[in-house]
Amino acid sequence: MFNYDLHSHSTVSDGTLTPSDLVRRARDKGVDVLALTDHDEVAGYGAAVVESRRVGIQLLAGVEISVTWGRQTVHIVGLDVDPDSAGLVKGLSHLRDYRKWRGEEIGRRLENAGFVDAYSGALEYQQGDLLTRTHYGRFLVGVGAVETMQDAFKKYLLRGRPGYVSGKWASMEEALQWIHDAGGVAVVAHPARYGMTRTKLRSMLGEFIECGGEGLEVVSSSHNGNEIQTMGQHAVQLGLAASRGSDFHDPGNRWVELGRLPSLPKKCEPIWERWELGRHPRVPQTANR
Ligand code: AMP
Ligand code: MN
Ligand code: MN
Ligand code: MN
């Protein structure tokens, strides 16, 4: 049985390891198949795939797309995408344009709340080209405004808090279109984290399935044992394949590690069977893409 970890971040978005360091750590932690799924960007794949061949693990190109569904933000992971797909590249670049404005707006709001130079302060933590709330969280911890990232989000970055900017991300339909244009499969990330009622979650998953979505991230570091069981049942009932991903960002977070996750619940159909059974057309992994 392979150890699959199909959700992870590098310095290209809000992770703290470079794509190649991430791949090396995955290998060291016993991961056999890793998906690099940075927020709204695929630029880490080139370096990561070179390193994955060097150290001998399998790498899938992936992405975690920010989606606005109703008044909420949900994250849709695309797996085994062609990172050069024109539709995907263009869609993600629009999202990053919005993200740039939104990153500045978060800065202005935190500055109004008394944090002088919040924007430039957050930029100090940015390692790639993309600014996220995680960088603001690290800034707020760095200046001693809060002790933990959790507190930074709770006090400053979540809905209703001074630094919150309501998202205008992709629609569900657009995100799935981009993923499918790129030959990938779509997975709803960490479904238990949205705090949706069962009815609301079903409605969101219904729209996801209508748009051709394939999978549900049943096993995630965000999920406790009960949530894994519940999400496994949703997947089975709705005919969605199940995925497993750590959502690793930072070796400094000792609660989340690459490849260190429970197995899928028994009745679930693993999403990777789509590749093993050849049902999903694999993108040929040529060198230096
Ligand atoms: P953004 O896409 O800019 O809104 O940033 C979202 C990212 O913030 C997520 O991918 C997580 O990495 C991080 N995040 C969200 N909520 C929390 C939280 N409560 N504690 C720590 N990190 C969080
Ligand atoms: Mn993140
Ligand atoms: Mn996410
Ligand atoms: Mn993530």
Side-chain angles (χ1 to χ4, degrees):
M1 273 287 275
F2 277 0
N3 185 343
Y4 286 87
D5 190 336
L6 302 181
H7 189 156
S8 67
H9 296 272
S10 75
T11 48
V12 162
S13 63
D14 57 350
T16 58
L17 298 182
T18 63
S20 23
D21 286 347
L22 179 79
V23 165
R24 266 198 304 283
R25 187 179 183 93
R27 197 274 314 266
D28 293 346
K29 298 295 173 185
V31 173
D32 299 297
V33 184
L34 176 74
L36 173 63
T37 56
D38 275 309
H39 296 285
D40 309 325
E41 176 61 285
V42 288
Y45 179 70
V49 78
V50 168
E51 189 64 11
S52 74
R53 295 204 183 94
R54 212 181 61 80
V55 304
I57 78 170
Q58 267 194 64
L59 182 78
L60 297 178
V63 62
E64 182 173 17
I65 302 181
S66 311
V67 164
T68 299
W69 184 78
R71 289 184 67 231
Q72 269 181 297
T73 298
V74 298
H75 286 169
I76 305 295
V77 162
L79 295 175
D80 204 15
V81 293
D82 172 359
D84 293 330
S85 156
L88 179 68
V89 166
K90 186 161 166 234
L92 296 182
S93 110
H94 286 309
L95 279 189
R96 292 196 303 276
D97 289 343
Y98 168 70
R99 187 179 271 288
K100 191 166 185 320
W101 172 83
R102 182 250 204 179
E104 293 165 1
E105 181 64 17
I106 293 175
R108 285 189 283 271
R109 295 191 186 193
L110 287 177
E111 282 161 25
N112 286 336
F115 293 98
V116 284
D117 302 330
Y119 179 65
S120 55
L123 287 183
E124 296 278 316
Y125 289 88
Q126 184 190 330
Q127 290 169 280
D129 292 331
L130 205 124
L131 193 57
T132 71
R133 282 186 294 168
T134 310
H135 299 103
Y136 277 101
R138 293 184 185 133
F139 159 75
L140 290 164
V141 173
V143 297
V146 287
E147 276 190 20
T148 65
M149 286 290 282
Q150 279 297 343
D151 289 345
F153 276 81
K154 262 196 229 156
K155 272 185 93 168
Y156 295 105
L157 300 170
L158 295 179
R159 186 186 292 281
R161 296 296 165 184
Y164 182 76
V165 180
S166 66
K168 287 185 189 61
W169 304 110
S171 69
M172 183 77 84
E173 201 178 351
E174 287 169 327
L176 269 72
Q177 185 73 53
W178 304 338
I179 291 168
H180 291 147
D181 277 356
V185 297
V187 174
V188 174
H190 42 62
R193 213 166 84 188
Y194 306 122
M196 292 180 184
T197 60
R198 185 185 168 86
T199 311
K200 193 147 190 195
L201 180 65
R202 282 297 190 132
S203 152
M204 190 265 283
L205 294 177
E207 190 171 328
F208 174 75
I209 290 166
E210 265 176 37
C211 295
E214 289 93 347
L216 190 65
E217 198 173 74
V218 169
V219 174
S220 159
S221 301
S222 306
H223 292 173
N224 63 31
N226 276 333
E227 290 166 338
I228 291 175
Q229 292 311 314
T230 308
M231 294 307 148
Q233 286 162 7
H234 284 300
V236 171
Q237 287 165 8
L238 295 169
L240 289 169
S243 187
R244 175 181 191 259
S246 63
D247 204 2
F248 178 89
H249 284 74
D250 176 8
N253 176 355
R254 59 197 181 92
W255 307 109
V256 178
E257 186 51 84
L258 288 161
R260 198 185 66 195
L261 293 158
S263 306
L264 294 179
K266 275 219 172 58
K267 286 189 177 152
C268 286
E269 176 211 336
I271 193 134
W272 46 87
E273 282 184 356
R274 314 222 157 194
W275 302 301
E276 286 167 358
L277 301 174
R279 264 188 282 171
H280 165 69
R282 272 192 72 81
V283 179
Q285 302 214 343
T286 50
N288 301 319
R289 249 200 346 218

